[in-house]
Amino acid sequence: MKLLALLALALVGAWPLPAAAQSIKLGAVVPLTGRYGGGGAQVRAGYEIAVEHVNAAGGVTVGGKKMPLELVLLDDESDATKTVSRLETLAAQGVVVYLGGFGSDLHAAASSVAEKNRVPYLGVAFALNKVHQQGFRYLFSPFWKSPDIGRQLPPMLSAIPAAERPKTVAIFQEKTDWGSEMAAAWVEAGRTAGYQVVVQGEYAPGAKDFSDLVLKAKAANADAVFALPTPPDGMTMIKQMKELGYTPKLTLFIRAPDPPIWSKNLGKDGDFVVLAPGWHHAVKAPGVKEQNEAHVKKMGRPADPIVGPAYACIQIAAAAVARAGSLDREKVRDAIAATDMTTVIGPVKFRPDGTGIVQSVFIQWLNGKQELVWPKESATAPLGYP
């Protein structure tokens, strides 16, 4: 009998669901403190506003019964070990869907937990493609990945007159899986965009001195710098570039410039940096107006760039539960895999590996504001270049 009970548990997942749930529990582990705290705050805002909107509209119909969403959110302090332990805590509480935080390294740790516990996982602010190539069934990410960013870079650069486009590029490569993956994508993009990588130097996350990389890029007269630093590392890089008199025509930093604290800490020195957070509050999609109004009321400004993809995760989860007509995690997982809907980030589908088919945008800090600069048809400002 004991063996049969264990077998039954394995069939439904590592943790049982409550027999008579009164709400649809969504479990989020988000870095609200630590090096990713600024990005985690955006993720949290997106989740909370979306849950409020779904519940204000009556909740989600499950088997003929209206049920509210319940967001259970824990802080992992930007520590992957705590990401894992917090997710285990949430599984024991009977969550139907896991929601991720900010930072590819944290998502990488979370994905294995989701797979072990057989809980569908939705993650944004997560461009690392490698995790999706491990055969995970429960991992889904409505967010563009390193290869997508690389493929969309040449079209964005094509907005610059051909004679003025960057011809030489320096890559400041973080010593992580994502650093290697994104660097490879940028090298590949150069074949189409017509630039040559003249400096490709590595640094350890959390480094305090980037002067060697900066001076090499300056000596090589690199027109552009590409990097994906954490917010603290990115701010240090910009300060040291200014101190050493290196002013490339184009600076593309992924991740670091996403939070509002970028401009608050750097002032004018933070301007002209291009970022690729996957969304902007000027994107034309249903629900963006209402989302922005709620964000202004909550935070005093239009929605930050990671707020949109986070909000979309709630939309996707709610729609999947409704289509599944059940809180059974396997049925919800299958419904998420079959997603074909329009969210605040635009149309969303998932490939068999769980990567999202989503629209692409590039943003730039201009006069202390994040402006949408590509695609041109929805841009709020032209690309500031050089």
Side-chain angles (χ1 to χ4, degrees), residues 186-270:
W186 279 326
V187 171
E188 178 63 29
R191 297 188 175 96
T192 303
Y195 59 74
Q196 180 184 359
V197 176
V198 293
V199 173
Q200 187 172 344
E202 286 190 322
Y203 70 91
K208 303 302 179 187
D209 185 5
F210 302 96
S211 58
D212 183 54
L213 283 174
V214 173
L215 289 172
K216 284 180 179 176
K218 183 180 179 181
N221 200 27
D223 294 329
V225 173
F226 299 160
L228 47 78
T230 64
D233 289 355
M235 292 179 205
T236 303
M237 284 179 184
I238 292 294
K239 289 173 182 176
Q240 292 182 1
M241 287 165 66
K242 182 175 177 59
E243 289 166 2
L244 295 168
Y246 176 48
T247 53
K249 295 178 180 177
L250 178 71
T251 301
L252 169 59
F253 278 8
I254 296 174
R255 183 170 54 179
D258 293 0
I261 197 171
W262 177 265
S263 183
K264 183 178 179 181
N265 283 3
L266 291 173
K268 290 185 178 179
D269 292 343

Side-chain angles (χ1 to χ4, degrees), residues 169-183:
V169 168
I171 297 175
F172 295 174
Q173 182 177 327
E174 186 182 76
K175 287 183 183 177
T176 58
D177 286 345
W178 188 25
S180 300
E181 183 179 281
M182 197 65 248

Side-chain angles (χ1 to χ4, degrees), residues 271-349:
D271 272 349
F272 299 106
V273 174
V274 175
L275 54 152
W279 185 78
H280 185 271
H281 61 78
V283 163
K284 294 175 175 61
V288 173
K289 179 176 178 290
E290 292 77 11
Q291 181 202 36
N292 274 327
E293 289 172 351
H295 197 273
V296 169
K297 186 176 180 180
K298 187 182 185 79
M299 309 294 290
R301 61 180 181 274
D304 300 316
I306 304 299
V307 173
Y311 188 106
C313 281
I314 301 294
Q315 292 181 295
I316 293 164
V321 170
R323 290 198 309 277
S326 165
L327 301 188
D328 180 273
R329 291 167 178 157
E330 198 63 31
K331 292 179 180 178
V332 173
R333 178 258 164 222
D334 291 345
I336 291 175
T339 294
D340 183 359
M341 64 184 291
T342 299
T343 68
V344 293
I345 64 172
V348 176
K349 292 183 182 179

Side-chain angles (χ1 to χ4, degrees), residues 352-368:
D353 63 4
T355 55
I357 303 172
V358 295
Q359 65 179 357
S360 311
V361 303
F362 285 96
I363 297 171
Q364 187 176 33
W365 279 99
L366 296 169
N367 298 315

Side-chain angles (χ1 to χ4, degrees), residues 21 24 58-68 321-327:
I24 303 162
V60 180
T61 302
V62 184
K65 176 186 174 184
K66 284 281 190 180
M67 297 180 71
V321 170
R323 290 198 309 277
S326 165
L327 301 188

Side-chain angles (χ1 to χ4, degrees), residues 115-126:
E115 199 69 14
K116 177 178 74 74
N117 290 340
R118 300 180 186 177
V119 179
Y121 179 93
L122 286 161
V124 293
F126 168 29

